[in-house]
Amino acid sequence: MNSKPISYIALCFAALLGLAAGNMPAQASGPAAVSWRQLVFQAVHPAGQVRVVIDLEPSEASDLRDLTGTQGTLLMPGNAGLQRLTGDINASAMFIDKQWRGQAWFLEDGTALQRSRFKPGEKGDYRLYRYTSEGVARKRFRPEGDQQAALPPEQWGKVKEKFFSFGSSSRGCDKIFDAFALLYPLSAHGLGADPGQGVCVFNKKGLYLVHLEAADSAPISLSLNQGPDNLIRRLANGVESQGIALRPQPLGGLQQEREPFEFMGLEGDIRVYLDPATGLPLRLSGDLGGLGRVELDLTGVDLR
């Protein structure tokens, strides 16, 4: 991997993030506009196939849940623009059939407000995360039998609540991103960083300082089946992508081996390859449970 800083990423990073002292994270300070409304990724793996559809749209404060019994003050959008990112992930193989939907609500500067994760079926699982000034409240629902599994997940009978306090681990974090929504600021600004800098990200149970390093650039040719003609032609001819590697460091005593960092269903050595001209994510790579290493290539895009 080439760890030398890349000028494009560094310039974009400076536009979005303010510098912090020492090893403390740099934090977002301005709005992040992306060029797309929908992205479709696909991977053909020797053991099966993976398809990811990502939709981005404006949302409203009424979509945010008021979970009771939380610590701290619930974060609200105020007059800032509220965005909702939805990701539908489907992976199928001989012994694997995974499908789940994740959603994240956040401000235009990337500040996380809420996340949900839904897996259907009798063994389904629905988790709602709500961000507060002191941490993240989680409410988890599971069905009691197959008949209840057909109901809306918030009507499932097995319910557990838990609060994940940031404590001292959030010291120096002016704002906190959600792991599921990282694609938004990555696409908008690159979030490139010099060694020793990163962003604060909540994963599933705690905070990570995610260092973003310049990865080896890769020439990528894609066959889009959805998108503007000029973009389809350009990507078919191939572009030199801009690679970013995500290097998560657990904060506050969190043990990474017990809670692997996850991004769009991917774990391990996670990398995002962007089109430098448009900021479009062209390829997502990482480990997917049960399939091993996968590369998700962009196959469709709907631009704003």
Side-chain angles (χ1 to χ4, degrees):
M1 186 186 78
N2 178 16
S3 60
K4 186 168 67 175
I6 297 177
S7 58
Y8 167 78
I9 297 178
L11 288 173
C12 293
F13 180 75
L16 180 66
L17 303 180
L19 299 179
N23 288 330
M24 293 314 299
Q27 296 300 320
S29 59
V34 300
S35 60
W36 48 270
R37 283 192 296 257
Q38 185 183 74
L39 303 171
V40 180
F41 294 92
Q42 287 185 296
V44 178
H45 188 276
Q49 297 185 353
V50 185
R51 188 171 190 265
V52 178
V53 180
I54 300 170
D55 291 288
L56 178 68
E57 57 188 341
S59 188
E60 299 179 353
S62 58
D63 287 339
L64 301 177
R65 300 299 306 275
D66 185 8
L67 297 184
T68 59
T70 59
Q71 300 177 31
T73 304
L74 289 171
L75 299 184
M76 297 298 292
N79 295 324
L82 179 62
Q83 302 290 320
R84 179 178 64 200
L85 185 147
T86 301
D88 288 298
I89 300 174
N90 292 271
S92 59
M94 185 175 297
F95 301 107
I96 299 171
D97 185 12
K98 293 185 177 181
Q99 57 175 317
W100 58 275
R101 163 174 284 193
Q103 292 186 301
W105 289 258
F106 52 92
L107 302 183
E108 289 182 341
D109 67 357
T111 300
L113 300 183
Q114 182 173 281
R115 183 213 305 172
S116 68
R117 180 182 175 109
F118 172 58
K119 293 182 180 180
E122 183 180 353
K123 297 182 179 180
D125 184 277
Y126 176 65
R127 305 180 192 188
L128 180 65
Y129 299 81
R130 190 69 167 86
Y131 285 78
T132 81
S133 58
E134 302 295 330
V136 179
R138 186 192 72 187
K139 196 169 186 177
R140 183 174 184 175
F141 302 81
R142 285 180 172 174
E144 296 176 321
D146 56 351
Q147 289 187 342
Q148 196 173 87
L151 299 174
E154 292 196 34
Q155 296 182 24
W156 290 350
K158 298 179 182 178
V159 181
K160 288 186 178 181
E161 297 186 36
K162 191 173 181 62
F163 187 81
F164 302 101
S165 176
F166 293 150
S168 61
S169 64
S170 64
R171 189 175 299 148
C173 298
D174 292 334
K175 61 178 41 67
I176 292 171
F177 296 86
D178 187 275
F180 193 74
L182 267 182
L183 194 63
Y184 180 85
L186 281 170
S187 178
H189 294 287
L191 285 183
D194 294 330
Q197 295 180 0
V199 291
C200 293
V201 181
F202 181 80
N203 186 33
K204 299 175 184 176
K205 298 180 180 179
L207 284 176
Y208 281 78
L209 177 60
V210 180
H211 301 274
L212 299 123
E213 299 178 358
D216 51 329
S217 299
I220 295 178
S221 298
L222 300 174
S223 298
L224 297 188
N225 52 38
Q226 172 190 342
D229 290 341
N230 59 341
L231 181 65
I232 291 175
R233 289 193 298 268
R234 180 170 167 271
L235 294 185
N237 291 330
V239 299
E240 190 72 15
S241 66
Q242 202 81 81
I244 300 176
L246 277 61
R247 304 297 186 208
Q249 172 190 341
L251 296 176
L254 190 69
Q255 297 182 13
Q256 186 167 358
E257 62 273 13
R258 296 184 61 185
E259 186 203 340
F261 185 83
E262 183 179 315
F263 168 76
M264 287 292 159
L266 302 175
E267 300 176 354
D269 182 13
I270 302 171
R271 301 192 180 196
V272 178
Y273 295 89
L274 302 175
D275 174 14
T278 64
L280 277 175
L282 303 178
R283 175 175 293 163
L284 312 177
S285 67
D287 298 332
L288 186 65
L291 289 177
R293 190 75 183 172
V294 298
E295 289 189 341
L296 290 161
D297 281 348
L298 185 69
T299 59
V301 59
D302 182 14
L303 298 178
R304 290 178 180 267

